Amino acid sequence: MSEDTLADSGQSDIRDNLEASKSHALQAAEELRAAASAKAQQLKEAAETRAHQYKEAAGEKADKFRDFADSSVRDAKDKARDFQNDAEDYIKENPTKAVLTALGVGFVIGLILRR
């Protein structure tokens, strides 16, 4: 073989090796991209699941607080209504005391506001 043939053969081998390496690198990069994409999808699904769980838990807590607030408002209204009824009954049973008490309270408030 001549030197030119050996040189051409060596360059051809180098080219073939470079092409094979390039092809292998491209394949490895594609596999890595696919694995990263799959992992990103898994993380996204896990985050969506966790967000849904937190949303449901927050909704349940909000419902409990709403029920508690509604119950508290109903209780306060009932107590105010009972107090008003008791006051009206007392006034009906003791009109003189009620009027004198109201005059006394008015007098004291007038003194306080005058200062």
Side-chain angles (χ1 to χ4, degrees), residues 17-28:
N17 285 340
L18 285 175
E19 285 297 320
S21 295
K22 180 180 175 184
S23 174
H24 180 68
L26 289 174
Q27 182 181 359

Side-chain angles (χ1 to χ4, degrees), residues 38-103:
K39 189 64 174 177
Q41 184 64 28
Q42 289 175 346
L43 290 173
K44 178 183 174 189
E45 290 171 1
E48 287 173 349
T49 300
R50 185 66 60 148
H52 182 71
Q53 290 170 345
Y54 286 147
K55 181 180 177 182
E56 285 182 359
E60 290 172 6
K61 286 285 187 187
D63 289 342
K64 286 181 183 179
F65 285 130
R66 187 178 306 112
D67 291 344
F68 177 75
D70 290 343
S71 175
S72 296
V73 168
R74 273 193 308 272
D75 290 346
K77 284 181 179 180
D78 290 343
K79 287 180 183 179
R81 193 174 304 116
D82 290 343
F83 179 75
Q84 181 181 2
N85 290 336
D86 290 346
E88 288 175 358
D89 290 343
Y90 179 80
I91 292 169
K92 287 177 185 176
E93 293 172 6
N94 303 300
T96 306
K97 282 185 184 179
V99 170
L100 291 176
T101 302
L103 285 173

